[in-house]
Each structure stands twice: as structure tokens, then as C-alpha cells.
């Protein structure tokens, strides 16, 4: 069953450079009635200020799917990869071992980020 959940009813986080709406429990937002759907654990609507972005950070045991709604986002990782995504583009990051990354928007950016739970068969690093 699909349940419509308006943005103002979702979890909310605001920082100087980021405003995010969380469909499911995420970071400091906890709602036991909204823990995810099937294997989907994260579904965030992120608005990032121009020129701002996430500092380098690591991911482990997850996949991250980003879909750009407006602006551009540049992704760099610890393996030296660098790519800029535009509106309508999708990025899949598979981080079953440690992977460092940095996300920097160019211009105003809005993106949907989601993460399914890692499969039980994910290989340990």
C-alpha cells in the first residue's frame, strides 16, 4: 500500500548549508512508525546551498542512490574518481568496504538520496 506523506510531516534537519526532509528515521530524526519500506532504509530530499556541501566522510556497508532534481553535484571519492552530475542524472555508490567521498554542489542543488539496507551476503572488508 502506498501512503502519501507530505514534506511537512517528514523528519526535518536544517543547517547553515543544508535543509533536508527525511521520509524515514535518519540521523537525529527517529520515528518508529517510519523506519523504511522493505529494503529501502533512507529516502531524503536534500536542498544544499550554492557552493556548500558535505565534508569528506566515509561510507561502509551501504549503497547510495542520488537523483539530481536541480543544479549540479560534484562527487569525489578516495579512489581519485571525480564526476559532476546534472539534472535528471543518477549516481549509484556501492560502499561495502570503506570508501571516502565528498559531495559539492555547483549552484543550488536539490537531490533525492536513498539507501537500501545492505544484503546479508555483503562481503566483509
Amino acid at each position: 500500500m502506498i501512503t502519501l506523506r507530505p514534506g511537512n510531516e517528514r523528519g526535518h534537519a536544517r543547517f547553515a548549508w543544508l535543509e533536508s526532509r527525511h521520509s524515514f528515521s535518519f540521523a537525529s530524526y527517529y520515528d518508529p512508525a517510519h523506519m523504511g519500506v522493505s529494503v529501502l532504509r533512507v529516502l531524503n530530499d536534500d536542498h544544499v546551498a550554492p557552493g556548500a556541501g558535505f565534508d569528506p566522510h566515509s561510507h561502509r556497508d551501504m549503497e547510495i542512490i542520488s537523483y539530481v532534481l536541480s543544479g549540479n553535484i560534484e562527487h569525489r571519492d578516495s579512489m581519485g574518481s571525480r564526476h559532476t552530475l546534472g539534472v535528471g542524472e543518477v549516481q549509484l555508490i556501492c560502499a561495502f568496504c570503506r570508501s571516502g567521498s565528498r559531495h559539492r554542489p555547483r549552484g543550488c542543488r536539490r537531490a533525492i538520496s536513498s539507501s537500501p539496507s545492505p544484503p546479508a551476503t555483503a562481503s566483509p572488508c
Side-chain angles (χ1 to χ4, degrees):
M1 178 166 102
I2 296 175
T3 303
L4 181 63
R5 192 163 180 224
N8 63 350
E9 294 179 10
R10 298 178 191 165
H12 183 248
R14 176 176 276 173
F15 303 95
W17 58 275
L18 171 69
E19 183 166 355
S20 185
R21 292 284 179 180
H22 312 309
S23 296
F24 310 123
S25 292
F26 182 79
S28 63
Y29 168 65
Y30 177 73
D31 182 345
H34 296 98
M35 296 299 291
V37 174
S38 185
V39 299
L40 186 60
R41 188 63 192 90
V42 175
L43 183 60
N44 293 344
D45 183 356
D46 296 331
H47 295 254
V48 182
F54 296 94
D55 289 330
H57 58 283
S58 63
H59 299 282
R60 184 183 173 106
D61 297 332
M62 65 173 55
E63 294 179 330
I64 302 164
I65 304 162
S66 297
Y67 179 73
V68 181
L69 297 172
S70 66
N72 294 309
I73 182 172
E74 178 183 81
H75 178 265
R76 297 181 194 183
D77 65 32
S78 59
M79 297 181 295
S81 298
R82 182 177 183 171
H83 185 74
T84 300
L85 298 157
V87 174
E89 291 189 283
V90 175
Q91 179 182 50
L92 171 62
I93 300 171
C94 296
F96 290 112
C97 294
R98 289 184 186 201
S99 170
S101 66
R102 164 182 253 165
H103 313 278
R104 289 275 179 205
R106 291 188 176 175
C108 191
R109 171 226 176 202
R110 180 176 178 211
I112 301 294
S113 297
S114 63
S115 294
S117 297
T121 58
S123 61
C125 300

